[in-house]
Amino acid sequence: MKPDWDTYFMGVAHAVKERASCSRRKVGAILVKDKQIVSSGYNGTPAGVKNCDEGGCGRCASDTPSGKDLEKCSCCHAEENAIVQAARHGMNTGGATMYTTFTACTQCAKMIINAGIKKVVAEHDYPDDLGTKLLKEADVELVRLR
């Protein structure tokens, strides 16, 4: 039996997260428009910077609790990378759906809203509920897939 579209695309997001170089949490995200994948992203340091799992991010190498001292992290988030990759390749994100293995943090929620993404499908809750509140206020549909 074929999986429904949400299950299918979340499976792709899970495959994408396997590329993540972050040593603390692996997250994957994809942007979809008209049932076609527009771009993908996973979390890790910016291109050309030593990978997190090679010591490129001091916060990730520390015992800092989840959700704390995020300004000290040099990693890019999966959602951020999916949006940036779409922009880099001239792909329109207006009206797209983002599939992500975690709900968006505050910064990523702001990017999702300003990129014109209209729906986010997520599995796990990120320890930052302001991102979820911003999506709701901006009328971005948030679907939890469990």
Side-chain angles (χ1 to χ4, degrees), residues 115-138:
I117 296 165
K118 293 299 177 195
K119 181 178 176 182
V120 174
V121 179
E123 278 187 331
H124 305 288
D125 290 325
Y126 188 78
D128 172 2
D129 62 347
L130 180 55
T132 299
K133 289 176 185 174
L134 290 172
L135 293 176
K136 184 177 181 178
E137 185 175 342

Side-chain angles (χ1 to χ4, degrees), residues 62-89:
S62 74
D63 60 357
T64 302
S66 180
K68 301 294 182 192
D69 295 332
L70 297 175
E71 70 281 358
K72 296 178 181 175
C73 182
S74 58
C75 293
C76 299
H77 286 192
E79 302 90 340
E80 173 185 9
N81 277 328
I83 292 167
V84 168
Q85 288 302 313
R88 183 176 182 179
H89 296 285

Side-chain angles (χ1 to χ4, degrees), residues 22-137:
C22 182
S23 57
R24 291 180 66 121
R25 178 180 295 159
K26 292 186 180 296
V27 179
I30 63 169
L31 279 172
V32 174
K33 248 183 125 166
D34 301 321
K35 296 187 174 101
Q36 297 294 313
I37 297 170
V38 173
S39 69
S40 65
Y42 50 86
N43 58 327
T45 55
V49 174
K50 187 188 292 187
N51 283 328
C52 174
D53 56 9
E54 299 168 333
C57 178
R59 180 185 175 276
C60 290
S62 74
D63 60 357
T64 302
S66 180
K68 301 294 182 192
D69 295 332
L70 297 175
E71 70 281 358
K72 296 178 181 175
C73 182
S74 58
C75 293
C76 299
H77 286 192
E79 302 90 340
E80 173 185 9
N81 277 328
I83 292 167
V84 168
Q85 288 302 313
R88 183 176 182 179
H89 296 285
M91 305 300 289
N92 181 356
T93 58
T97 297
M98 177 171 281
Y99 290 84
T100 180
T101 56
F102 276 83
T103 57
C105 72
T106 301
Q107 287 301 112
C108 288
K110 292 187 278 187
M111 286 183 249
I112 288 166
I113 294 163
N114 285 341
I117 296 165
K118 293 299 177 195
K119 181 178 176 182
V120 174
V121 179
E123 278 187 331
H124 305 288
D125 290 325
Y126 188 78
D128 172 2
D129 62 347
L130 180 55
T132 299
K133 289 176 185 174
L134 290 172
L135 293 176
K136 184 177 181 178
E137 185 175 342

